[in-house]
């Protein structure tokens, strides 16, 4: 007689739908609104105007003229290859998923750093999330949210959480004891110590986690095209079904360009901190 763990997983899904359906519906509505609004803005924005804005944002963040020109050149290559709308859809999903993941991950990492009871539970959960194959996250996302952009974003958020949680936890724990003692000696509250001492010192570690979360979000958004996420992932899947090497290479190159741009921007923010 075999013990089917999957049966209990199915029952757990049913219970979540029964008792937390209202929460899932609220999350669905919020993400649908956010992805629609940002996606509409990115797709409606003239590509040349987008590149000008990207140039000035890059100058502001990196303080490097040549790098900013290369970023614009990267976006122009995507436009030149004819994948602009797909790229904007992918960028939209990546930004929304990254923002949602960071919004959850940083408080969770701080909580784990502050509590020795919570820490082992969070570590075990992060180990589970990082070792679970990425495609598995698509199954509950489809069950709870159907097909489309929203389940793709949800699966991406879950997949991309662990690095920021882990490195936030590590960064807070690595704050020198002397700095905490100085903050305590000046009568700082717990919130003041966290925001004025611990977070600034831990920021390089936290930003490294954010960088990894962005990269994982981009990779998962491509996979999420299998459940209707669209974007460059959809182009890659179509190229597979048609055995179209050219389309697959071009869409893959567009993904690489976006990944490099986001990586350089977040690396610059990390160095600033």
């Amino acid at each position: 007689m075999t013990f089917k763990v999957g049966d209990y997983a199915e029952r757990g899904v049913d219970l979540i739908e029964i008792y937390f359906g209202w929460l899932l519906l609220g999350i669905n509505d919020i993400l649908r609104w956010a992805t629609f609004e940002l996606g509409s803005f990115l797709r409606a924005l003239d590509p040349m105007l987008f590149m000008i804005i990207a140039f000035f944002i890059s100058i502001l963040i990196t303080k490097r003229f040549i790098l900013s020109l290369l970023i614009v050149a990267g976006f122009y290559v995507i436009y030149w290859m004819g994948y602009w709308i797909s790229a904007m859809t992918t960028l939209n999903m990546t930004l929304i998923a990254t923002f949602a993941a960071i919004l959850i991950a940083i408080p969770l990492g701080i909580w784990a750093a502050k509590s020795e009871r919570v820490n082992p539970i969070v570590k075990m959960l992060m180990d589970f999330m990082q070792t679970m194959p990425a495609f598995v996250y698509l199954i509950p996302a489809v069950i709870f949210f159907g097909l489309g952009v929203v389940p793709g974003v949800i699966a991406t958020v879950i997949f991309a959480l662990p690095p920021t949680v882990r490195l936030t936890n590590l960064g807070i724990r690595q704050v020198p004891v002397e700095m905490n003692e100085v903050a305590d000696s000046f009568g700082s509250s717990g919130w003041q110590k966290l925001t004025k001492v611990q977070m600034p010192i831990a920021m390089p570690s936290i930003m490294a986690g954010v960088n990894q979360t962005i990269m994982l979000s981009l990779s998962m958004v491509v996979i999420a095209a299998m459940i209707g996420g669209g974007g460059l992932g959809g182009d890659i899947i179509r190229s597979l079904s048609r055995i179209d090497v050219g389309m697959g290479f071009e869409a893959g190159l567009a993904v690489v360009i976006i990944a490099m741009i986001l990586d350089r921007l977040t690396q610059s923010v990390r160095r600033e901190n």
Side-chain angles (χ1 to χ4, degrees):
M1 182 177 178
T2 59
F3 180 70
K4 294 187 178 295
V5 179
D7 292 341
Y8 291 94
E10 289 181 4
R11 292 178 190 176
V13 168
D14 292 337
L15 290 173
I16 290 172
E17 285 185 321
I18 292 170
Y19 292 105
F20 297 100
W22 58 273
L23 179 61
L24 297 176
L25 184 61
I27 293 172
N28 181 71
D29 290 341
I30 292 170
L31 289 178
R32 190 175 300 279
W33 172 82
T35 53
F36 176 79
E37 293 296 331
L38 180 59
S40 298
F41 173 74
L42 290 175
R43 288 188 292 270
L45 197 63
D46 183 80
M48 297 306 161
L49 179 58
F50 178 93
M51 291 178 206
I52 292 171
I53 294 171
F55 175 79
F56 284 108
I57 290 175
S58 177
I59 286 287
L60 188 65
I61 293 174
T62 66
K63 310 292 193 298
R64 296 167 65 184
F65 182 78
I66 300 299
L67 177 59
S68 300
L69 285 179
L70 289 175
I71 287 173
V72 171
F75 279 121
Y76 185 79
V77 168
I78 294 173
Y79 172 73
W80 177 63
M81 291 191 301
Y83 289 88
W84 186 260
I85 298 298
S86 294
M88 292 301 100
T89 300
T90 297
L91 184 62
N92 171 34
M93 293 178 63
T94 302
L95 293 176
I96 295 294
T98 300
F99 178 76
I102 292 170
L103 205 62
I104 298 168
I106 290 180
L108 189 58
I110 293 171
W111 190 21
K114 297 289 186 179
S115 173
E116 292 302 329
R117 291 183 179 180
V118 173
N119 186 45
I121 298 172
V122 169
K123 279 188 174 181
M124 182 176 64
L125 184 61
M126 294 303 107
D127 288 341
F128 176 82
M129 291 169 66
Q130 283 190 302
T131 52
M132 181 66 71
F135 292 95
V136 176
Y137 292 119
L138 301 179
I139 300 171
V142 170
I143 292 173
F144 292 135
F145 301 99
L147 298 174
V149 173
V150 171
V153 171
I154 293 290
T156 302
V157 169
I158 298 171
F159 180 73
L161 267 173
T164 301
V165 175
R166 288 184 182 278
L167 289 170
T168 299
N169 184 359
L170 180 65
I172 297 294
R173 288 177 177 273
Q174 287 184 335
V175 173
V177 177
E178 296 80 6
M179 298 300 295
N180 288 320
E181 290 175 349
V182 169
D184 290 333
S185 67
F186 279 97
S188 300
S189 65
W191 176 253
Q192 288 173 326
K193 183 165 70 172
L194 175 65
T195 56
K196 303 294 185 182
V197 178
Q198 295 173 334
M199 288 290 287
I201 294 175
M203 193 54 67
S205 179
I206 294 172
M207 286 307 301
V210 170
N211 177 266
Q212 291 302 307
T213 290
I214 291 173
M215 296 298 103
L216 289 176
S217 294
L218 186 56
S219 66
M220 189 63 187
V221 160
V222 173
I223 296 172
M226 297 180 66
I227 57 173
L232 294 169
D235 294 326
I236 291 170
I237 290 174
R238 280 192 292 276
S239 72
L240 284 172
S241 63
R242 301 173 186 174
I243 318 297
D244 189 333
V245 177
M247 178 187 287
F249 178 81
E250 289 174 349
L253 178 61
V255 172
V256 171
I257 290 171
I258 292 174
M260 292 176 65
I261 290 171
L262 295 177
D263 178 67
R264 294 302 179 270
L265 290 176
T266 51
Q267 289 284 2
S268 296
V269 173
R270 181 185 172 189
R271 281 194 296 268
E272 288 293 322
N273 288 281

